[in-house]
Amino acid sequence: MLILMSAADTLKVALGDASVSPLPCIVSFRDIDGSTYTPSRAVAVTNGSTPVNLLAGSASYARVVDFVSIFNGNTANETVTLTYDVSGTPYVLTTVTLAQGERLEYQEGAG
């Protein structure tokens, strides 16, 4: 389970180098404040080797990440790094090389 507990927490993605075109990313999550939970989603695209925020934390809610998908529709392999950043300190969750047509997926409860 991935939980963004504060506004200083972010889930980020970066590629190993400049790509032919950006990779689409989708994040499904829920905000929980103790008595209610609100499902939502965020979309982004990669920006070469520059880290991109997929999801930022909130000062008001805990954000539980339910699903992440990053798809490589390019003609070349892409190295993708998914990072959990806490107050500016990055923690690499995984680095994978995606071939054309492959995707990196995370699903809460399954990994």
Side-chain angles (χ1 to χ4, degrees):
M1 179 181 307
L2 294 172
I3 303 172
L4 296 124
M5 292 298 295
S6 75
D9 296 350
T10 54
L11 187 62
K12 297 181 178 190
V13 64
L15 301 181
D17 53 25
S19 63
V20 175
S21 60
L23 305 186
C25 309
I26 300 170
V27 179
S28 297
F29 64 96
R30 52 200 145 115
D31 286 337
I32 301 173
D33 75 354
S35 61
T36 61
Y37 103 85
T38 306
S40 193
R41 56 106 177 111
V43 295
V45 293
T46 59
N47 185 17
S49 59
T50 303
V52 172
N53 288 351
L54 293 180
L55 185 63
S58 168
S60 305
Y61 304 102
R63 289 208 158 135
V64 177
V65 177
D66 293 312
F67 179 77
V68 177
S69 176
I70 302 166
F71 178 72
N72 180 15
N74 290 333
T75 57
N77 291 351
E78 297 289 352
T79 301
V80 177
T81 299
L82 190 62
T83 306
Y84 184 90
D85 189 290
V86 179
S87 300
T89 302
Y91 299 90
V92 174
L93 298 174
T94 191
T95 298
V96 297
T97 299
L98 299 177
Q100 179 184 14
E102 289 185 332
R103 75 179 70 241
L104 169 63
E105 283 190 351
Y106 164 83
Q107 185 172 4
E108 195 270 321

